[in-house]
Amino acid sequence: MTLKKETSRWNVFAIFYTFFLMTSLGGYINVQIVYLLRDPDLFGMNAAYQGRVTTTILLIAIIVGMCWTFLAGFLYDVCQRKFPILMAVVFGALFLSLCPHTAPNETLLTLDRACIQICLTQLMCHPLIMDYVK
């Protein structure tokens, strides 16, 4: 792998860090939604209804993420690179921490998961490889 002259080790680290962060956050939240819906103190759904709600939440999140993909590149062009990545990490952590507080409202949980998907999509669309690698 050949790097551009102005590229540092931290720039290369950022490429792998964003993919690691995106994978960790996405995998964690998908599993935790099932546990949130199952928990009797939060949502307390029975198993028959839980699968349908989980599928609906993830379907809406995927659709929102696909729509956000078109805006993510534009946001990187307007705001450079660091600011959108930083905001995606900060807001992703914020929305992740809000998940248990959406109980017992399924709509709020769906909205929160869609916001997390926007943060994940913003991280996924980063142009760092094109910026740092020849």
Side-chain angles (χ1 to χ4, degrees), residues 71-92:
L71 298 173
F74 176 73
L75 193 60
Y76 280 118
D77 290 339
V78 172
C79 299
Q80 300 303 315
R81 307 301 189 240
K82 292 179 185 177
F83 184 72
I85 291 174
L86 177 66
M87 289 298 106
V89 170
V90 168
F91 282 118

Side-chain angles (χ1 to χ4, degrees), residues 17-31:
Y17 178 73
T18 54
F19 284 120
F20 170 74
L21 189 65
M22 177 189 58
T23 305
S24 300
L25 183 61
Y28 178 78
I29 191 60
N30 288 340
V31 172

Side-chain angles (χ1 to χ4, degrees), residues 36 42-43 95 97-113:
L36 286 172
L42 296 175
F43 289 92
F95 290 128
S97 67
L98 289 177
C99 279
H101 302 289
T102 61
N105 194 341
E106 297 168 21
T107 306
L108 283 178
L109 183 62
T110 305
L111 181 64
D112 191 50
R113 179 61 180 93

